[in-house]
């Protein structure tokens, strides 16, 4: 279990709605669908209704600071089946990065690789009390695109399984990358989101992680999560 799983979920029943992609930048085709992930009746570009409204607010804040810049939606709603698909895929990528095959792994090596994977990926749990954040429709992975339609360099790729993914990794070593990450954080926090402490690109509103982070800053006025797992 993760620390944020201590937050109770009181499902509000809000619907998943399609993100109005005309207001944002989008990577197309979707990265996980290119790999073979299947989303079923929805797509990666769905989120809970209030989450979408707040995402639009964040886009408007960005436009005030940098006219012509856009939030690029990398991934939104993610069924547990897709979470499992990407966890398995990332395990294979981690093996390839180490020059190993699954058949030759020692128990210790296997444990080390899984630890690397779960530094970034939530466990694809089917327990309604411990849903992966994206499976609630309340988490979104995003980056920035400038007025030349170029993706802003954040110093590491989304989903990179390394310490470079930590939001403050470049705080001392590269003010340029850090400033971009802080800009993304600032506009998202202003719109009500909270940022994953381990991933510069992951923001949520209303799920367990959001509640856990909110309560750390507001211990006298604790909240519960309003969104649980959908599928």
């Amino acid at each position: 279990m993760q620390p944020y799983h201590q937050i109770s979920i009181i499902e509000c029943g809000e619907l998943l709605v399609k993100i109005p992609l005309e207001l944002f930048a989008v990577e197309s085709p979707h990265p996980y669908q290119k790999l073979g992930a299947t989303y079923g009746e929805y797509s990666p570009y769905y989120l809970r209704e209030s989450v979408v409204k707040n995402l639009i607010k964040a886009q408007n804040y960005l436009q005030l600071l940098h006219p012509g810049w856009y939030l690029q939606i990398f991934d939104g709603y993610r069924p547990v089946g897709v979470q499992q698909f990407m966890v398995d895929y990332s395990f294979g990528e981690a093996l390839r990065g180490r020059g190993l095959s699954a058949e030759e792994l020692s128990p210790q090596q296997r444990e080390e690789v899984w630890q690397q994977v779960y530094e970034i990926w939530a466990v694809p749990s089917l327990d309604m009390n411990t849903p992966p954040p994206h499976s609630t429709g309340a988490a979104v992975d995003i980056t920035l695109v400038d007025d030349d339609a170029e993706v802003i360099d954040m110093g590491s790729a989304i989903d990179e399984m390394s310490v470079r993914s930590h939001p403050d990794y470049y705080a001392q070593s590269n003010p340029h990358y850090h400033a971009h990450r802080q800009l993304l954080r600032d506009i998202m926090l202003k719109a009500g989101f909270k940022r994953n402490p381990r991933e510069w690109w992951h923001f949520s509103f209303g799920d367990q992680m959001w509640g856990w982070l909110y309560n750390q800053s507001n211990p006298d006025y604790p909240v519960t999560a309003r969104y649980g797992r959908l599928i």
Side-chain angles (χ1 to χ4, degrees):
M1 288 181 59
Q2 296 291 337
Y4 57 82
H5 287 144
Q6 66 187 274
I7 301 298
S8 299
I9 302 170
I10 301 178
E11 173 60 52
C12 68
E14 195 172 282
L15 296 177
L16 274 178
V17 298
K18 189 173 183 179
I19 301 170
L21 297 182
E22 66 275 9
L23 301 180
F24 302 94
V26 180
E27 183 172 339
S28 182
H30 185 269
Y32 304 159
Q33 289 179 316
K34 279 195 297 186
L35 296 174
T38 303
Y39 281 77
E41 63 179 302
Y42 294 104
S43 83
Y45 302 122
Y46 277 75
L47 291 167
R48 299 287 189 129
E49 186 175 8
S50 293
V51 183
V52 170
K53 289 179 180 178
N54 286 351
L55 197 58
I56 293 171
K57 289 180 183 177
Q59 173 62 43
N60 291 337
Y61 294 146
L62 176 62
Q63 289 278 315
L64 290 174
L65 295 172
H66 294 280
W69 284 36
Y70 289 89
L71 295 175
Q72 184 181 73
I73 311 299
F74 183 86
D75 196 43
Y77 172 63
R78 189 187 303 156
V80 176
V82 174
Q83 187 77 15
Q84 183 69 64
F85 178 93
M86 290 308 303
V87 162
D88 294 340
Y89 174 83
S90 297
F91 182 80
E93 286 295 287
L95 289 182
R96 282 186 281 276
R98 295 176 179 223
L100 299 171
S101 66
E103 294 75 19
E104 64 185 0
L105 287 179
S106 69
Q108 181 179 347
Q109 287 175 318
R110 184 176 297 275
E111 177 64 23
E112 289 173 354
V113 174
W114 277 120
Q115 286 181 358
Q116 180 183 358
V117 170
Y118 286 132
E119 276 289 309
I120 291 296
W121 296 95
V123 174
S125 170
L126 291 173
D127 186 337
M128 296 300 286
N129 295 311
T130 59
H134 281 274
S135 300
T136 68
V140 61
D141 295 338
I142 55 174
T143 190
L144 298 171
V145 171
D146 67 17
D147 49 4
D148 291 322
E150 295 292 331
V151 177
I152 298 296
D153 191 347
M154 296 289 193
S156 71
I158 291 176
D159 290 343
E160 181 176 307
M161 291 184 291
S162 82
V163 294
R164 298 198 308 171
S165 295
H166 296 176
D168 293 330
Y169 178 79
Y170 288 108
Q172 304 300 321
S173 62
N174 193 311
H176 185 67
Y177 293 153
H178 186 65
H180 290 158
R181 293 181 179 197
Q182 290 298 92
L183 170 62
L184 181 60
R185 184 207 68 167
D186 290 348
I187 62 171
M188 292 298 284
L189 265 60
K190 188 174 181 180
F193 291 88
K194 295 294 184 182
R195 181 174 64 180
N196 186 325
R198 293 181 177 180
E199 301 173 3
W200 62 258
W201 60 84
H202 177 117
F203 295 85
S204 60
F205 175 80
D207 65 358
Q208 287 176 304
M209 183 179 290
W210 172 87
W212 176 64
L213 293 168
Y214 180 93
N215 290 348
Q216 289 182 38
S217 303
N218 302 272
D220 295 332
Y221 302 95
V223 298
T224 58
R226 64 185 73 173
Y227 304 124
R229 180 170 66 82
L230 290 165
I231 299 176

